[in-house]
Amino acid sequence: MIEIGKYNELRVLSKTEAGLNLTDGDKLVLLPYQYVTKGLEIGDNANVFVYIQKDGRLTGTTQKAYAEVGDFAFLKVVSDGDDGIFMDLGIDKDVYVPTKEQKRPMQKGYKYVVYVYLDENSDRLLASSKLYDFVEDENFDFEEGDEVSLLITEETDLGFNAIINNTYIGLLYHNEVFDNIQIGDHRKGWIKKIRVEGKIDLTLQPSGYGHILDSKDVILNALKKNGGVIELGDKSSPEEIYHQFQISKSAFKKTIGSLYKERLIVLSDDSIRLLTDEEAE
């Protein structure tokens, strides 16, 4: 079965004046010659993105689309239309966003995170910036502490909303973000907490003892490279700590606390120093 708005593996059936006819054994898809890869012959398979032309014809392209149906993506508005706008999908076919599917008015030249879907009646490619209409809010396929992929969608008073694994939505709190985050960024993150009401708190740093072990090695190596001293300590700001080690202040304090208990370092408010072999004895 051909899936419109997605990539399909189809067989080359025949040649026409306009291009190659591809088939799944049931329907035909026209692949214009400008998108035919070198050496593609009758009987070969081709992986193409399928969409519907205005005349209703199924058409394929070998261009790389920025998103498929069912994806959240960060796309640019390229033109205005009747009661809506068009966004660049990376192929010759733009995706239409009706005005009623715009959370806020969308302007030409700007980029927005949208969800790509098919119109139920016409199979036309559409998109929506009303993201909450398309995310799941139950049956989570992850647990607290799991690593996930994030797409940053918007900044709020509390922090940054992010799409999780292209399916759910969660929040990165401002006081736990020390990096320069932009809307549309793809980031690796972790599930910090799943609340009773189904809301999800996120973090950009892993938690748990395994992460502390990794951080210990990083800090010890940094100390050795810096002559045994690092100008960071208990009173250093979270931003200073994250800039150097890409971990939160909480994780930093746990890590240096562990190194101190192992008699590997000496602590002060503004620095840590590697103990010499003589001092450690």
Side-chain angles (χ1 to χ4, degrees):
M1 178 179 175
I2 291 175
E3 294 185 277
I4 300 170
K6 294 189 175 183
Y7 283 92
N8 295 255
E9 191 77 16
L10 304 175
R11 181 171 56 85
V12 180
L13 182 65
S14 60
K15 295 183 178 181
T16 71
E17 290 185 1
L20 301 180
N21 278 327
L22 311 180
T23 183
D24 63 343
D26 180 23
K27 296 181 178 180
L28 292 180
V29 174
L30 176 68
L31 178 63
Y33 282 118
Q34 65 195 93
Y35 305 127
V36 175
T37 55
K38 186 177 180 180
L40 191 62
E41 299 291 343
I42 293 176
D44 292 343
N45 286 344
N47 190 39
V48 296
F49 184 93
V50 177
Y51 59 91
I52 292 182
Q53 293 280 26
K54 289 183 178 180
D55 60 5
R57 178 184 295 184
L58 287 174
T59 303
T61 178
T62 53
Q63 294 173 297
K64 178 60 179 175
Y66 297 142
E68 298 181 72
V69 164
D71 287 343
F72 293 90
F74 190 48
L75 305 179
K76 184 178 181 179
V77 178
V78 290
S79 64
D80 298 319
D82 296 333
D83 195 30
I85 54 90
F86 290 92
M87 306 188 85
D88 180 16
L89 195 58
I91 61 176
D92 285 344
K93 179 71 172 179
D94 296 328
V95 60
Y96 182 64
V97 186
T99 300
K100 66 179 182 179
E101 288 298 330
Q102 298 175 32
K103 183 178 179 180
R104 301 181 185 89
M106 301 168 76
Q107 301 178 30
K108 183 178 178 180
Y110 289 85
K111 299 183 75 172
Y112 304 86
V113 176
V114 295
Y115 179 80
V116 181
Y117 66 101
L118 282 183
D119 181 87
E120 293 181 353
N121 298 316
S122 65
D123 281 337
R124 184 184 185 186
L125 275 173
L126 299 177
S128 173
S129 61
K130 296 181 177 180
L131 307 183
Y132 278 92
D133 291 344
F134 301 95
V135 294
E136 299 288 338
D137 57 8
E138 57 185 4
N139 301 321
F140 303 128
D141 60 359
F142 46 67
E143 298 177 350
E144 292 180 6
D146 283 358
E147 181 180 318
V148 291
S149 62
L150 304 176
L151 170 60
I152 309 301
T153 63
E154 65 176 340
E155 186 174 6
T156 70
D157 291 340
L158 294 176
F160 293 88
N161 287 333
I163 297 295
I164 307 166
N165 293 346
N166 199 51
T167 306
Y168 311 95
I169 198 162
L171 176 66
L172 288 162
Y173 287 94
H174 276 305
N175 62 357
E176 295 186 4
V177 175
F178 312 110
D179 201 0
N180 181 25
I181 286 184
Q182 302 293 328
I183 307 305
D185 283 354
H186 288 271
R187 294 296 185 102
K188 180 167 63 176
W190 285 263
I191 304 299
K192 183 178 181 180
K193 186 176 182 62
I194 301 174
R195 299 185 179 274
V196 176
E197 65 272 23
K199 295 185 181 297
I200 303 168
D201 294 345
L202 301 167
T203 178
L204 296 178
Q205 296 91 34
S207 59
Y209 189 64
H211 179 49
I212 298 302
L213 288 177
D214 292 339
S215 299
K216 284 166 63 175
D217 289 338
V218 170
I219 290 175
L220 284 174
N221 287 334
L223 281 164
K224 292 172 183 176
K225 290 180 180 179
N226 285 277
V229 178
I230 293 176
E231 300 300 326
L232 289 174
D234 191 55
K235 290 189 175 181
S236 297
S237 70
E239 292 76 15
E240 290 175 314
I241 293 167
Y242 189 86
H243 178 73
Q244 184 152 346
F245 293 117
Q246 287 73 58
I247 59 175
S248 66
K249 184 169 182 177
S250 175
F252 175 75
K253 290 175 69 174
K254 289 178 182 178
T255 303
I256 62 175
S258 180
L259 291 171
Y260 177 77
K261 289 178 181 178
E262 295 176 32
R263 293 187 56 77
L264 295 173
I265 62 172
V266 175
L267 302 175
S268 72
D269 289 341
D270 302 305
S271 68
I272 54 178
R273 179 173 63 83
L274 195 64
L275 276 175
T276 63
D277 292 337
E278 293 77 12
E279 289 175 314
E281 292 179 354

